[in-house]
Amino acid sequence: SLTDRSDFANREEADLFVSIHANALENDDSYAGIFTFYHPDKQSSKTPAEIIQGAVSVASGGIDRGVRSADYAVLRETKMPAVLVETGFMTCPNELALLLDTGYQNLLAQGIAQGILTYWDK
């Protein structure tokens, strides 16, 4: 559950929480792109969100939809900086094909990892 994820990160005293998802949008199969979210009350999460968003967008070549704040449970309930990366839209056939491709998945993972490393180097 979402609570279990946050509880685990808090119990393990993680330094950064990164939740990775694939998005969907009802009634629009053309919308595509990558978003990264942080909680509006946790400004400590904004910088890692910006860095990870930039890195994953560059590495994957995906559409950069930017950084936004949202009241998602995994962002709200974690005690450490936390971000949620939406890697693309499963409801967009072209993007779904990319999301199912292991090569593209590796690019996304490399971008997220590079973003984390860049954040820690600051």
Side-chain angles (χ1 to χ4, degrees), residues 33-34 53-64 87 95 98 103-112:
I34 300 166
Q53 173 68 21
V56 72
S57 296
V58 168
S60 68
I63 298 168
D64 185 344
T87 58
E95 200 155 67
L98 287 172
Y104 188 74
Q105 292 170 12
N106 285 330
L107 292 174
L108 291 167
Q110 289 170 8
I112 292 167

Side-chain angles (χ1 to χ4, degrees), residues 6-122:
S6 300
D7 288 347
F8 178 79
N10 291 334
R11 186 173 55 254
E12 296 299 317
E13 299 180 3
D15 295 316
L16 178 67
F17 182 91
V18 179
S19 190
I20 303 170
H21 300 259
N23 216 335
L25 185 61
E26 193 173 348
N27 300 323
D28 188 347
D29 65 358
S30 65
Y31 198 77
I34 300 166
F35 290 93
T36 301
F37 292 90
Y38 69 96
H39 194 274
D41 294 338
K42 293 172 83 175
Q43 288 301 305
S44 64
S45 298
K46 186 175 182 182
T47 297
E50 292 169 341
I51 293 170
I52 291 169
Q53 173 68 21
V56 72
S57 296
V58 168
S60 68
I63 298 168
D64 185 344
R65 294 286 180 188
V67 172
R68 298 186 181 181
S69 62
D71 186 30
Y72 296 139
V74 294
L75 302 178
R76 180 182 61 247
E77 301 301 325
T78 48
K79 295 178 182 175
M80 69 290 303
V83 303
L84 186 151
V85 181
E86 291 283 5
T87 58
F89 285 79
M90 297 181 296
T91 48
C92 174
N94 292 338
E95 200 155 67
L96 177 60
L98 287 172
L99 291 169
L100 293 172
D101 179 81
T102 56
Y104 188 74
Q105 292 170 12
N106 285 330
L107 292 174
L108 291 167
Q110 289 170 8
I112 292 167
Q114 183 58 56
I116 293 167
L117 292 172
T118 300
Y119 169 67
W120 286 126
D121 285 344
K122 287 197 157 283

